[in-house]
Amino acid sequence: MQESVIMSNKFIHLLYVPTMACNMKCRYCYLDDQTVDDMKGKDCLETLKYAVTKFRKSGVVPFNISLHGGEVTTLPKNEFHSLIEYISDYYQENRELITEAGFKVGRPHIKTNMYGLDRHIDTIKEFNVSVSGSLDLPLSLHDEYRVTKSGEKTLNRILDNISLLSDIPNKKKVSATIFKEHFEYLEDIIEDIKFLDKNTCLDMNDFNFMIGFDYNSSGLLHHMSEKEQLEFYNRMHEEFDGTNLDDGVNGAWFDEFGPGYCTNCDNCGEKFFLLERNGDIYSCVRGQKNRDYYYGNIYRDEVSDILKCANQKIFRNHNRQPFNEECTKCGYLYLCKTGCPFVKNVYSSDKSYTCLLQQQMYKDRNYQQDEFNDETVYEYVTKMRLEDPRDYVPRQQEPEYPSLEQIISDDAKLQYIYDGNVFELDVDSVRYKLESQILRRSRDIIYITPNSTVRIYMKKCMIQQECDYPENNSLYIMLLSGSLVTYGDEGRTKQRHIATHQVYKGVLDNSSYNDDEYYVYDITNLLKEYKREYSTDNPNNIFFTTSALRDYHYVKQKNNAYYHIQAINLPFQNIEFYYIDKEF
């Protein structure tokens, strides 16, 4: 029974932003001037409780709840204490559920600039709160880029607050974001790491470098080139390999670029969510306050709609840039998944902005190039790209029988079944030419809403083809869900069939939308009728042919084994679609 409960749940990483307020104004803050408390008077715990309860009722389990900002230490003491206590209790109450699903239960965790850490030190001690702080390295630049909103320096106070953690047995770490301006002080960074290791309670083996990207930095800071990133990485190894910080430089320091982080997801919208105090949900801290990464509001929207929106928006944002052919050949796609979609679009780049660094790190850490890279690429393209996955089908030995193209060429009747010029789908006055899914060279995925108008155009000549009695012939429509099921004795997994629909010649003749060349039939209501059956996770499918041509296809399969092998999936003209039951 317990296994079935685990299998039915979806586990997510939840970042909670209890306040947008911040006591600092860092020069490269991605939130820019939005770090103000706009929710005064509203209990910050109320939103988190409501969200977790609503998620749980929908079978969604946060396996990790971390606090982010704004700056969480700007909260009143009682609110901060209530939040930490709630998270601590949540972990204890759900420990078995979370651990049996394969996740580690940690301690309450905060991401903080550490400037106001002293205000909450009692709560941090009481609940053994894990602290992840941020500094600028070298320390000589810290007070240039990390100041209060009134322009005051912050380093000395932050170092004093770090000392308050010395007698607490919790996880206490810092991270540093490296821009080109920091990189120019490479040797100073090395000396400051040694200083922090020797003179503070920070675990400098559990330290993170982040590579900055110049987003919202007002031109003050600039990103490192990939060559500079690699030089930085190599210099750290040259200095710290074999020292007391060997575990760090070969582990946590560069882990953000490894397979354990969020970019090691085909679609990070399936696992990572950032919740703000007003109920708004975004992808993460990078996508926070960006409409392209806004998933909905926990108070207004159903959890299923939020999950669907997350999946679709990450898919769309990855596909705003083309698929880089280099990513098909390096052998590490199974680890990096082409990088963060947010940063790729900031740079208008089609691969990870830390690509060279990542490849070197994979080699140094003995990650092997994918033995089954061709299969990995094909699966990735099928799930995450608009490119035609048939272009990435793993190479196989040439068959000892005629190709499908040759079989079609030799059979005039089959040519009608695969003709790419006889069906078009009109969605809100945009026409899509339909091709056989077996022969198509590009992949279209369309989005249909309840307000869409959808009409199928079929050339009138099609009703005559391979049919002795055209009056008995029909436009034949097949609807398939993106959900997969296993059919028959052969145990073959394929898309779940939803419905078939036939429209006979007499009805087509009477359609008021017809023109001289095409029968035009409105399928808006047909699609709407089955809206509850469509997959929200994977594209659904709609196929078109005539009943006479459909029958001939199956006759050909029965009579020609070579055709059967190569046309085992539906060969008819089709298009994939998502049905969006509401606008986000």
Side-chain angles (χ1 to χ4, degrees):
M1 182 66 178
Q2 181 66 32
E3 181 180 359
S4 64
V5 171
I6 292 173
M7 293 301 291
S8 65
N9 283 321
K10 178 182 180 68
F11 290 84
I12 65 169
H13 188 292
L14 183 64
L15 279 175
Y16 180 48
V17 178
T19 178
M20 288 301 301
C22 188
N23 44 21
M24 289 172 57
K25 186 174 179 61
C26 300
R27 306 296 191 195
Y28 48 85
C29 178
Y30 57 90
L31 291 172
D32 204 12
D33 59 355
Q34 299 182 85
T35 54
V36 293
D37 184 5
D38 55 359
M39 297 290 290
K40 290 181 179 179
K42 180 176 177 62
D43 182 6
C44 64
L45 181 55
E46 175 188 318
T47 300
L48 181 59
K49 281 185 174 180
Y50 179 88
V52 170
T53 300
K54 190 169 181 177
F55 275 129
R56 292 297 308 276
K57 286 181 178 178
S58 299
V60 178
V61 181
F63 67 86
N64 182 289
I65 302 175
S66 299
L67 297 183
H68 212 282
E71 171 54 43
V72 298
T73 62
T74 62
L75 288 170
K77 289 183 179 181
N78 61 321
E79 291 190 28
F80 183 85
H81 184 277
S82 295
L83 274 173
I84 296 299
E85 183 176 37
Y86 171 78
I87 295 171
S88 180
D89 291 344
Y90 173 85
Y91 284 151
Q92 295 309 312
E93 293 166 5
N94 295 280
R95 178 174 295 276
E96 182 177 358
L97 177 64
I98 294 172
T99 55
E100 290 192 4
F103 299 100
K104 182 179 180 181
V105 176
R107 306 293 306 176
H109 178 78
I110 63 171
K111 179 68 176 177
T112 172
N113 60 31
M114 300 186 293
Y115 189 74
L117 201 64
D118 54 314
R119 300 176 63 241
H120 301 292
I121 198 67
D122 291 339
T123 297
I124 291 171
K125 289 181 178 180
E126 179 182 355
F127 293 98
N128 193 16
V129 176
S130 171
V131 175
S132 179
S134 50
L135 289 169
D136 260 21
L137 294 179
L139 297 176
S140 60
L141 292 184
H142 182 98
D143 284 336
E144 181 173 345
Y145 298 121
R146 299 177 69 82
V147 298
T148 67
K149 288 187 173 178
S150 59
E152 298 171 351
K153 297 178 180 181
T154 63
L155 179 60
N156 288 337
R157 178 168 175 172
I158 288 173
L159 291 176
D160 288 343
N161 283 339
I162 289 173
S163 67
L164 298 177
L165 299 171
S166 59
D167 60 345
I168 303 174
N170 62 349
K171 183 177 181 180
K172 33 192 178 274
K173 60 180 291 186
V174 291
S175 61
T177 302
I178 306 299
F179 288 87
K180 189 179 186 73
E181 286 72 13
H182 302 95
F183 169 75
E184 292 173 355
Y185 293 84
L186 187 52
E187 299 307 313
D188 291 348
I189 291 174
I190 289 172
E191 292 307 311
D192 285 340
I193 289 173
K194 295 176 180 178
F195 170 82
L196 292 171
D197 178 53
K198 183 178 180 180
N199 297 286
T200 73
C201 63
L202 295 171
D203 180 0
M204 292 305 290
N205 273 303
D206 191 14
F207 167 77
N208 287 113
F209 281 120
M210 294 178 285
I211 304 299
F213 50 97
D214 38 355
Y215 175 75
N216 276 1
S217 66
S218 301
L220 293 173
L221 294 163
H222 304 85
H223 67 274
M224 289 190 287
S225 68
E226 287 197 65
K227 182 178 179 181
E228 288 169 334
Q229 294 171 20
L230 190 58
E231 182 181 345
F232 179 86
Y233 170 87
N234 288 332
R235 181 68 185 92
M236 290 298 122
H237 277 279
E238 179 184 324
E239 185 67 33
F240 292 104
D241 278 347
T243 71
N244 66 308
L245 296 178
D246 182 271
D247 287 345
V249 74
N250 288 286
W253 288 16
F254 294 97
D255 270 354
E256 180 170 332
F257 316 106
Y261 270 63
C262 55
T263 51
N264 186 234
C265 299
D266 287 337
N267 189 318
C268 59
E270 297 175 349
K271 184 179 288 187
F272 296 90
F273 299 85
L274 179 144
L275 169 69
E276 291 188 346
R277 186 173 178 172
N278 64 1
D280 284 343
I281 295 181
Y282 294 89
S283 60
C284 60
V285 295
R286 289 177 174 177
Q288 193 176 1
K289 297 300 185 184
N290 188 305
R291 294 300 299 182
D292 287 338
Y293 298 86
Y294 171 70
Y295 298 159
N297 186 285
I298 195 64
Y299 287 114
R300 297 191 300 267
D301 300 310
E302 296 300 323
V303 169
S304 59
D305 292 332
I306 292 169
L307 298 180
K308 176 169 61 176
C309 183
N311 185 291
Q312 292 173 358
K313 285 202 169 181
I314 294 301
F315 178 89
R316 292 179 210 168
N317 280 300
H318 270 294
N319 281 281
R320 287 170 63 188
Q321 306 299 330
F323 186 41
N324 192 316
E325 287 299 312
E326 292 180 19
C327 298
T328 70
K329 300 177 176 65
C330 78
Y332 293 119
L333 179 66
Y334 79 105
L335 297 175
C336 94
K337 306 301 174 71
T338 77
C340 171
F342 182 88
V343 185
K344 285 195 296 185
N345 286 312
V346 167
Y347 288 145
S348 298
S349 172
D350 52 11
K351 63 178 182 177
S352 173
Y353 74 120
T354 55
C355 180
L356 289 181
L357 186 158
Q358 288 174 252
Q359 291 193 42
Q360 185 62 52
M361 187 184 74
Y362 297 151
K363 294 173 185 175
D364 291 346
R365 298 189 180 188
N366 295 317
Y367 289 111
Q368 300 301 311
Q369 289 180 298
D370 191 357
E371 180 182 356
F372 303 101
N373 184 64
D374 289 348
E375 288 83 355
T376 298
V377 171
Y378 176 71
E379 290 174 4
Y380 176 78
V381 171
T382 300
K383 180 177 182 181
M384 285 300 298
R385 303 298 314 185
L386 290 173
E387 287 83 1
D388 182 5
R390 291 193 310 119
D391 290 339
Y392 300 91
V393 173
R395 294 181 179 178
Q396 298 178 347
Q397 187 174 359
E398 288 294 325
E400 298 178 358
Y401 47 78
S403 68
L404 178 61
E405 288 80 0
Q406 185 61 50
I407 294 172
I408 295 171
S409 176
D410 292 341
D411 188 327
K413 296 179 181 180
L414 282 183
Q415 291 172 27
Y416 293 116
I417 294 176
Y418 292 90
D419 192 337
N421 298 299
V422 294
F423 286 100
E424 294 185 22
L425 193 70
D426 184 298
V427 181
D428 298 325
S429 299
V430 178
R431 296 272 284 269
Y432 299 88
K433 182 177 289 189
L434 306 187
E435 301 176 86
S436 165
Q437 69 166 356
I438 296 180
L439 297 183
R440 68 168 57 248
R441 306 307 298 173
S442 62
R443 185 184 188 192
D444 286 324
I445 297 179
I446 60 175
Y447 296 88
I448 301 172
T449 76
N451 296 322
S452 295
T453 299
V454 187
R455 292 171 184 156
I456 180 65
Y457 283 64
M458 179 179 73
K459 283 191 176 178
K460 290 180 177 179
C461 63
M462 288 296 287
I463 211 73
Q464 312 289 335
Q465 305 306 334
E466 303 312 317
C467 181
D468 295 331
Y469 303 101
E471 284 294 331
N472 292 337
N473 204 359
S474 64
L475 166 65
Y476 198 96
I477 305 169
M478 291 155 279
L479 273 172
L480 280 68
S481 166
S483 301
L484 300 179
V485 292
T486 301
Y487 285 91
D489 291 342
E490 63 188 353
R492 188 159 61 97
T493 299
K494 54 184 180 179
Q495 289 184 304
R496 181 188 296 275
H497 285 257
I498 296 175
T500 60
H501 188 79
Q502 291 178 258
V503 187
Y504 284 86
K505 181 179 182 296
V507 177
L508 295 173
D509 285 337
N510 292 327
S511 172
S512 61
Y513 305 112
N514 292 345
D515 59 29
D516 292 340
E517 186 177 8
Y518 286 94
Y519 286 121
V520 183
Y521 187 73
D522 194 307
I523 61 171
T524 301
N525 290 330
L526 175 66
L527 291 172
K528 190 177 297 185
E529 179 180 352
Y530 295 101
K531 66 180 183 179
R532 298 187 183 279
E533 307 301 326
Y534 302 135
S535 170
T536 59
D537 297 321
N538 302 305
N540 305 284
N541 236 322
I542 185 166
F543 292 83
F544 301 92
T545 188
T546 67
S547 52
L549 290 174
R550 176 184 179 275
D551 291 345
Y552 184 76
H553 161 71
Y554 287 109
V555 168
K556 187 71 174 183
Q557 276 195 334
K558 181 179 179 181
N559 294 333
N560 190 314
Y562 299 144
Y563 177 74
H564 194 136
I565 290 170
Q566 298 175 83
I568 193 169
N569 293 319
L570 292 177
F572 311 114
Q573 292 87 338
N574 78 304
I575 197 164
E576 295 176 279
F577 69 96
Y578 284 102
Y579 195 93
I580 303 174
D581 204 11
K582 68 177 293 184
E583 294 292 343
F584 294 95

